[in-house]
Amino acid sequence: MIKIICVGKIKEQYLKEMIEDYQKRISKYHKLEIIEVKDEKNIEKETENILKKIDPKDYIITLEITGKKYTSEIFAEHLEQLFLKTNQITFIIGSSFGLSNIIKNFKKEDISFSDFTFPHGLFRGLLLEQIYRAFKINNHETYHK
């Protein structure tokens, strides 16, 4: 199971459509769950909400600007190796506050897609696209160029 824990809801219809499209595509390969927690006024409340959604067996990957960077091919290989070790990979996307040290203490690793800052909804779509691309690469299917 791939679980994505995100702070906040997506309001823009075009982003909702992109996210739903990639959810559908990924579902052909693997079970995926997106969990939205409420966007709060402080990081402590967000942390509390995220902690309620974490399972002790989760392999937690936080998405942080300072995290490790992968190419699509290496990310695909990494996911494939992780699924040999665990059946529950959980990605956590924080809010504009970032992620608290409490959440960071639960992570097994952190990854970064760029040094740029992205809007939350767009980044969720980017993460889903890269997960989908990883499945296509690992199954030797055309998509990745």
Side-chain angles (χ1 to χ4, degrees), residues 15 32 52 66 117 145:
L15 291 174
L32 172 73
K52 290 176 186 175
T66 59
T117 301
K145 295 178 180 157

Side-chain angles (χ1 to χ4, degrees), residues 64-78:
E64 302 180 56
I65 203 164
T66 59
K68 182 176 180 179
K69 292 181 176 73
Y70 289 99
T71 65
S72 294
E73 296 89 345
I74 294 174
F75 180 67
E77 183 180 315
H78 183 56

